Amino acid sequence: MSQPFYITTAISYPNGPPHIGHAYEAIATDAIARFQRLSGREVRFQTGTDEHGLKMAQAANEKGKSPQDLADEMANQFIVMCDKLNVSYDRFIRTTEADHHKASQAIWQAMQDKGDLYLDKYEGWYSVRDEAYYDESELIEAEGEGGNREKLSPQGTPVEWTVEESWFFRLSKYQEPLLKLFKENPGFLKPDSRRNEMIKFVEGGLKDLSISRTSFDWGVKVPDSENHVMYVWVDALTNYLTGLGYPDKTELYPKFWSNGGDINHIIGKDIVRFHTIYWPAFLMSADLPLPKQVFGHGFLLNRGEKMSKSVGNVVDPIALADAFGVDQLRYFLLSEVIFGKDGSYSADMIVTKTNADLANNFGNLAQRSLSMIAKNCDGKIPIAGEKTDAEEQLIGELESCFTDIRSLMGNGEYPIHAAIDLLRERLSATNQYFADQAPWALRKTDPARADTVLYYTAESIRQLAIMLRWVIPESCDKMLGLLSQSPDKRSFCDMGNAIESGLTLPAPNGVFPRLEMPASQAEG
């Protein structure tokens, strides 16, 4: 019996509507979750919104709304995005929910009982945009308005000097345990470049962390305190426990966390420090198990440029999905971007890529072969004759492809693009087989041989659709429907169950229409 698999995105900060970067993380995490489900594992997939903190309070004030009203409005936009993009989450968590306040207060109490919290005064640099504290040595200087030099965070965001009473977490106590974690468990943080960055950061010395605020009240209340709210990252990181029922004894919590579940966080590279230094230290303090892996993916760039509201290149993912199709957008992002590195996209790149791989390669193959079956075989899967070397090679290479994909996706690196590359090669090879065998010509000279070619083409399409379901689920389900494959025959365990001769097929319909550049998306 395989180990239960728990996977999460970072929870998005909803002080503005979702952009394509949010969509990329949700789609990539969804693809991994779907792959594990197709492999027969019990999967729990969580995403959500991080709704507390000073940044959220300020955004609400600027809009003349209460923080809760803004949180409700914006969280709904993220839910709409996930549903539109076919993101198969099991729980969409909101940090304003009552069970999350309870979980955050429980882990706080556990850290306090450990003796790891103390009251003092915080004086230092704070970035409201990052919701992060920075040491003086981490700051950079840049030219601000009026030509004045100003201090900025390592991310280039403004910082302000903050002085207030605060609870502190003894982060310094966990310097050596964290170094031990990184060095003895290299798989904990991927890619390796992120791990090396965090080792260097911890080796530079850890200072105790301010984990409460008194200058505003939009957050989770600190237990037994009237005027302190939790530092937003204590609250935010705890969401991964909340969604499993912590601290209550639910069925989910022991299955996916406390009994050594396969716990995986998929996050952006800009928040690796919070997830691989603060989070494991909090968990160590509370005597809770650590995640198996944190994966820090790269940024999605618009034509090579980082997205920015000031530049005006922030793109609505729902508009892209409406313009090009949900699965087309999913396929492009997952195949074009090397998971773990920065990637670039543009409307013309989406059109070119998906037309070549989906419309021309997969869609054309299915339409031509299934139309021949409809016309020449009474709409039924024909009987296959004896396999020649061409069929042996075709099916053998599909089997090898399946083995290679499972190996790639099972090593903790998640080279999604490489797995899709293997499938694209098999699509091209199947197209080449179909063209080389020319069943339309064989129909005139050797009908039985033509039937054999059509049978093995249909079987190849079936296997390819199953192997691609985690990438483009809706389209592959349509393709499998055209092959009369019932919903209970579409998992990886069905790969070896060849399509049945005599099976009646519905009338063939195109699954991947060719895309044209919409006028609204035309650039340059």
Side-chain angles (χ1 to χ4, degrees):
M1 184 94 178
S2 59
Q3 193 179 24
F5 185 82
Y6 183 41
I7 190 165
T8 73
T9 66
I11 50 175
S12 302
Y13 209 81
N15 62 325
H19 56 66
I20 191 65
H22 296 116
Y24 172 64
E25 180 170 297
I27 288 170
T29 310
D30 176 68
I32 297 168
R34 287 178 180 274
F35 189 96
Q36 297 295 338
R37 288 195 199 102
L38 287 169
S39 298
R41 297 185 70 178
E42 185 172 6
V43 173
R44 178 80 175 175
F45 171 23
Q46 181 167 301
T47 189
T49 43
D50 172 15
E51 300 173 15
H52 291 132
L54 180 56
K55 183 166 56 175
M56 193 71 177
Q58 290 179 345
N61 185 59
E62 290 170 4
K63 296 176 183 293
K65 301 175 181 284
S66 72
Q68 185 65 63
D69 285 345
L70 179 62
D72 292 343
E73 174 189 336
M74 302 310 296
N76 183 64
Q77 292 192 35
F78 281 83
I79 293 170
V80 168
M81 178 197 76
C82 287
D83 292 345
K84 173 72 174 181
L85 299 176
N86 208 358
V87 175
S88 59
Y89 59 87
D90 296 294
R91 167 87 186 258
F92 188 99
I93 193 165
R94 298 183 55 191
T95 57
T96 50
E97 294 168 337
D99 63 341
H100 180 67
H101 283 242
K102 180 179 178 180
S104 299
Q105 289 168 339
I107 196 170
W108 180 286
Q109 191 63 56
M111 293 189 294
Q112 190 166 38
D113 292 345
K114 191 73 166 286
D116 285 342
L117 307 186
Y118 63 92
L119 198 60
D120 204 339
K121 184 172 74 170
Y122 175 75
E123 293 188 48
W125 297 102
Y126 188 76
S127 167
V128 176
R129 195 178 302 174
D130 297 346
E131 296 282 11
Y133 302 97
Y134 293 106
D135 187 81
E136 181 86 32
S137 63
E138 295 182 85
L139 302 183
I140 59 176
E141 282 198 356
E143 188 173 306
E145 294 182 7
N148 297 322
R149 303 293 290 179
E150 63 179 2
K151 294 181 183 293
L152 299 175
S153 77
Q155 314 293 338
T157 58
V159 294
E160 58 186 38
W161 185 258
T162 302
V163 179
E164 62 184 314
E165 182 182 71
S166 177
W167 282 94
F168 281 77
F169 172 70
R170 299 185 193 278
L171 185 62
S172 57
K173 171 181 172 181
Y174 292 92
Q175 179 167 332
E176 290 307 316
L178 286 168
L179 285 174
K180 182 179 180 182
L181 170 66
F182 287 127
K183 292 178 179 179
E184 293 185 359
N185 185 6
F188 174 71
L189 174 56
K190 290 288 183 177
D192 290 340
S193 58
R194 314 265 189 260
R195 174 173 161 266
N196 295 335
E197 289 171 10
M198 290 303 104
I199 290 174
K200 184 177 180 180
F201 180 82
V202 176
E203 286 177 338
L206 295 179
K207 296 181 179 180
D208 290 350
L209 179 67
S210 171
I211 59 168
S212 75
R213 304 294 304 270
T214 58
S215 55
F216 63 95
D217 62 1
W218 180 239
V220 177
K221 302 295 183 185
V222 170
D224 302 320
S225 176
E226 293 184 2
N227 61 339
H228 284 258
V229 295
M230 293 183 193
Y231 171 44
V232 68
W233 279 101
V234 177
D235 156 17
L237 291 162
T238 303
N239 92 87
Y240 305 126
L241 295 173
T242 305
L244 299 177
Y246 174 86
D248 295 334
K249 295 180 179 178
T250 65
E251 178 186 350
L252 293 174
Y253 180 68
K255 179 183 292 184
F256 290 101
W257 197 288
S258 64
N259 288 348
D262 190 347
I263 306 160
N264 300 264
H265 300 318
I266 307 298
I267 61 165
K269 65 181 182 180
D270 54 333
I271 54 174
V272 165
R273 180 191 304 185
F274 306 99
H275 282 79
T276 61
I277 295 177
Y278 299 171
W279 182 224
F282 295 161
L283 291 169
M284 289 175 189
S285 176
D287 293 320
L288 297 173
L290 305 187
K292 177 182 177 181
Q293 184 181 87
V294 178
F295 195 104
H297 63 76
F299 292 141
L300 194 61
L301 308 175
N302 187 336
R303 289 188 173 272
E305 293 184 352
K306 189 172 180 180
M307 285 176 285
S308 166
K309 290 180 182 178
S310 60
V311 176
N313 64 349
V314 177
V315 175
D316 175 6
I318 292 178
L320 282 178
D322 285 340
F324 302 117
V326 171
D327 276 353
Q328 284 79 357
L329 179 60
R330 287 175 62 104
Y331 181 85
F332 173 82
L333 293 176
L334 294 173
S335 62
E336 186 70 15
V337 180
I338 298 174
F339 197 51
K341 296 185 177 182
D342 292 348
S344 191
Y345 82 98
S346 66
D348 52 335
M349 290 169 69
I350 296 171
V351 169
T352 300
K353 179 79 169 177
T354 57
N355 275 346
D357 292 1
L358 299 182
N360 296 350
N361 209 351
F362 201 6
N364 190 47
L365 170 69
Q367 185 68 16
R368 292 174 69 198
S369 59
L370 296 182
S371 293
M372 282 196 69
I373 291 173
K375 180 180 179 181
N376 299 293
C377 307
D378 296 324
K380 297 179 180 180
I381 295 293
I383 296 173
E386 187 174 344
K387 281 193 282 189
T388 68
D389 289 345
E391 285 78 47
E392 293 283 3
Q393 180 177 348
L394 179 72
I395 299 303
E397 288 180 347
L398 282 170
E399 291 172 354
S400 296
C401 175
F402 182 47
T403 299
D404 291 344
I405 288 171
R406 297 191 76 170
S407 176
L408 278 174
M409 293 294 290
N411 65 6
E413 298 282 353
Y414 300 126
I416 297 171
H417 69 287
I420 296 174
D421 281 347
L422 293 178
L423 286 164
R424 183 168 53 244
E425 290 173 3
R426 289 304 96 218
L427 278 168
S428 296
T430 305
N431 263 295
Q432 192 63 53
Y433 163 82
F434 187 73
D436 289 346
Q437 299 303 314
W440 54 90
L442 287 171
R443 178 62 52 194
K444 301 172 184 177
T445 59
D446 191 346
R449 176 64 189 157
D451 284 352
T452 299
V453 172
L454 289 173
Y455 174 89
Y456 282 105
T457 302
E459 169 60 11
S460 297
I461 292 170
R462 183 192 73 87
Q463 292 191 31
L464 287 162
I466 290 174
M467 285 192 279
L468 266 168
R469 272 190 80 212
W470 56 285
V471 178
I472 45 174
E474 184 178 3
S475 297
C476 287
D477 278 338
K478 287 181 181 178
M479 192 72 77
L480 289 164
L482 292 175
L483 294 170
S484 292
Q485 300 300 292
S486 61
D488 62 343
K489 293 182 179 180
R490 301 179 181 184
S491 294
F492 288 163
C493 64
D494 299 302
M495 282 288 292
N497 300 326
I499 197 165
E500 298 174 18
S501 295
L503 192 64
T504 300
L505 306 185
N509 289 303
V511 175
F512 300 109
R514 270 191 68 81
L515 298 181
E516 302 293 338
M517 181 72 73
S520 61
Q521 294 291 334
E523 299 171 87

